[in-house]
Amino acid sequence: MSFVHDGWYCAAFSSELEGEPLGRTLIDQPVVLLRSRDGQVSALSDICPHRFAPLHRGRFENDAIYCPYHGLGFDRDGRCIHNPHGDGAIPRASAVNSFAVREEQGVIWIWGGDPLHANPALIPDLQLFDNAISGSFQMNADYRLVIDNLLDLNHAPYLHAGTLSPVGSTRETTWERGARSAASHYVMRSVETPASQKLWFDDPVGDYHVSMEWHAPTILRQRVSMTNVGAPPDDGAMLRAAHLLTPETATTMRYFWMVSRNRLQGDETVDAALRNIVEHAFLNEDAPMIEACQKNMRGRSFRDLRPVFLKTDGACGHARSVLERLTAA
Ligand code: FES
Ligand SMILES: [Fe+2]
């Protein structure tokens, strides 16, 4: 499987990278993240050019990383600066590749392809409120199954009944497309307030509005708003979330999430309750279902399996075509 190279991926939350090197895999490439003394982040291939040792297990000293196997040293740009063997000459071709990096909005973003093509304008504003809670976890699934999951929230009344989603009731669903984006929107009128909104919305009944926007290759931002019946969505108790999906291999990935709200920000009891609801939904409901689907695919491709196309699959279908175009490019 090939991936979209020309795009930004979340490699880690900023808070995960302090003095120690951090090893991550992104689109089948092992990467080591380094934070220098001036706070700058750099990202190098995590493969030593000598015998391919993982550099992140090495010593990081004075902004240089020393290979744990035979001790070659590399600066933060990947240039070899130290050879402890023989006459100490620096062999040609001993540099390691480096990646374009941006640190913004609490995220360390890595451009998957040629650093010369890196375009910072392709990192969308995640539009989170202050004091977001966040987390990440591993999944055994093709990242595109997770995009399908997020761009088609019609699974919510089945998989998340009563927790993230109101039960029953019809949803008005619409969707939009862009050159590198897709979005789906849902409205449920006069529904029972789900547990995730009860934390800061007092009315037991209201209108429930959800929008999910996808930006290629794997950045999604979501708005959920619970309003009094008939009120516009901006008047409500609102959640804004980001879902950042980082493919590791064809069938494994890391899911980074951030969830923020416009009411009771920073209240630790609400933080803890919200974290419980979100983690329960992701870890006990979405992830096992998506992993079970992946397993059922038995290594065959999505297209080969000729999936049934429902009317509500418009946004997912568009996202898949965009990804196919960008992968081919
Ligand atoms: S593998 Fe890194 S120095 Fe030998
Ligand atoms: Fe879900």
Side-chain angles (χ1 to χ4, degrees), residues 149-150 153 155-156 159-160 164 281-282 285-286:
N149 168 275
L150 292 168
L153 296 178
H155 74 271
L159 215 47
H160 313 300
L164 287 190
F282 292 171
E285 295 173 341
D286 287 306

Side-chain angles (χ1 to χ4, degrees), residues 243-257:
H243 308 260
L244 311 173
L245 314 176
T246 301
E248 293 180 333
T249 67
T251 54
T252 60
M253 55 165 284
R254 187 177 279 263
Y255 189 134
F256 296 89
W257 59 267

Side-chain angles (χ1 to χ4, degrees), residues 178-202:
R180 286 179 68 108
S181 64
S184 48
H185 311 284
Y186 312 83
V187 186
M188 295 170 85
R189 308 219 180 256
S190 299
V191 286
E192 224 174 273
T193 307
S196 56
Q197 305 285 328
K198 266 189 194 141
L199 297 168
W200 52 79
F201 185 78
D202 295 331

Side-chain angles (χ1 to χ4, degrees), residues 48-53 55 67-72 74 85:
C48 178
H50 176 227
R51 285 296 178 273
F52 325 119
L55 291 174
C67 179
Y69 200 179
H70 314 91
L72 285 177
F74 303 90
H85 306 286

Side-chain angles (χ1 to χ4, degrees), residues 20-150:
E20 289 302 305
L22 183 62
R24 285 279 148 92
T25 302
L26 273 90
I27 56 169
D28 246 345
Q29 308 179 77
V31 174
V32 53
L33 302 173
L34 305 169
R35 189 182 293 282
S36 298
R37 290 165 293 180
D38 62 4
Q40 290 292 316
V41 178
S42 47
L44 305 178
S45 165
D46 195 22
I47 306 177
C48 178
H50 176 227
R51 285 296 178 273
F52 325 119
L55 291 174
H56 78 272
R57 295 201 207 158
R59 182 166 51 90
F60 186 50
E61 208 173 88
N62 298 330
D63 301 345
I65 180 96
Y66 294 87
C67 179
Y69 200 179
H70 314 91
L72 285 177
F74 303 90
D75 70 9
R76 65 183 181 182
D77 298 319
R79 273 184 300 259
C80 185
I81 48 150
H82 178 70
N83 172 9
H85 306 286
D87 62 1
I90 304 292
R92 276 184 209 204
S94 59
V96 297
N97 288 335
S98 66
F99 294 83
V101 184
R102 307 274 303 181
E103 188 170 23
E104 281 180 22
Q105 308 179 70
V107 171
I108 297 171
W109 305 93
I110 290 189
W111 181 260
D114 184 338
L116 292 174
H117 298 162
N119 177 2
L122 291 179
I123 302 177
D125 181 349
L126 300 175
Q127 298 181 339
L128 297 171
F129 297 114
D130 290 342
N131 302 309
I133 58 168
S134 60
S136 74
F137 58 95
Q138 296 281 136
M139 268 181 75
N140 292 318
D142 179 330
Y143 73 99
R144 292 170 297 187
L145 292 181
V146 183
I147 296 177
D148 288 340
N149 168 275
L150 292 168

